[in-house]
Amino acid sequence: MVTLDAVLGDITRQDVDAIVNAANTRMRGGGGVDGAIHRAGGPDVLRDCVARFPDGLAVGDAGWTTAGRLSARWVIHTVGPNHAAGQRDRSLLVSCYRRTLEVADELAARTIAFPLISAGIYGWPRRDAIAAAVDTILAAPTRVGEARIVAFGPDAYDEVRERLSAAGV
Ligand code: ADP
């Protein structure tokens, strides 16, 4: 079973096999964590997005690219539902975590760092975004050994810790 932890900080600084990006369907960069990952990873990340995903990705799906200059080996991009734009089907958010872990298994990644997908610009209510993240990662049939949820601020960090405690972690 996967070990799940909470970390407060910047996902681009995580020393893991795979860093997860909250991307958009075009997969050509964006704001928030997407912008931070492309800035830190450098142009190879975008080049690989264009080469491997000429048509981008569907909401709820995931796919990998190089991590460029990041210390991780891969970036796994996943597209969360845009709650602010009316995409409120929770199964799509759950699918992001499941699909990302399936891709991680294809890569034989052992350690992975997730941001809180959809909880920023896409406006998914944070407590529910955290519940979806924690519950889905813990229930996933994955060979990933260590997963961490990277919270970008102290309030989010405390809420992730609370949810982990409630889940018995
Ligand atoms: P989305 O468009 O899926 O909502 P965002 O990037 O806007 O994606 O936000 C997703 C989450 O990532 C938010 O909780 C935001 O605070 C957080 N975030 C933004 N930048 C970083 C970063 N460098 N490291 C970790 N988390 C980040």
Side-chain angles (χ1 to χ4, degrees):
M1 210 187 96
V2 63
T3 304
L4 181 58
D5 212 347
V7 175
L8 173 60
D10 181 343
I11 200 164
T12 64
R13 311 298 289 267
Q14 302 300 307
D15 187 16
V16 286
D17 294 336
I19 284 177
V20 181
N21 183 21
N24 54 55
T25 53
R26 288 185 60 245
M27 283 186 87
R28 301 295 179 260
V33 74
D34 195 4
I37 286 172
H38 279 274
R39 273 193 301 279
D44 284 354
V45 178
L46 179 59
R47 255 196 294 276
D48 216 17
C49 283
V50 171
R52 302 198 65 250
F53 301 94
D55 301 320
L57 266 177
V59 178
D61 203 358
W64 65 272
T65 65
T66 176
R69 292 194 297 253
L70 289 162
S71 72
R73 288 184 67 186
W74 303 284
V75 173
I76 302 178
H77 306 259
T78 187
V79 184
N82 187 344
H83 191 280
Q87 293 173 346
R88 309 221 165 150
D89 179 353
R90 194 175 191 270
S91 70
L92 291 170
L93 183 56
V94 166
S95 171
C96 288
Y97 290 96
R98 286 211 188 110
R99 282 289 303 131
T100 296
L101 287 167
E102 284 172 11
V103 172
D105 282 346
E106 286 165 21
L107 296 166
R110 290 288 174 258
T111 54
I112 191 166
F114 286 92
L116 287 170
I117 298 159
S118 290
I121 297 162
Y122 281 3
W124 200 282
R126 193 167 70 200
R127 278 187 186 276
D128 191 53
I130 289 169
V134 168
D135 298 356
T136 308
I137 295 167
L138 288 176
T142 177
R143 291 189 301 281
V144 170
E146 286 177 41
R148 59 184 78 155
I149 296 172
V150 182
F152 203 44
D155 293 347
Y157 175 76
D158 288 345
E159 289 168 20
V160 175
R161 288 236 48 89
E162 274 171 34
R163 186 72 191 190
L164 286 170
S165 302
V169 175

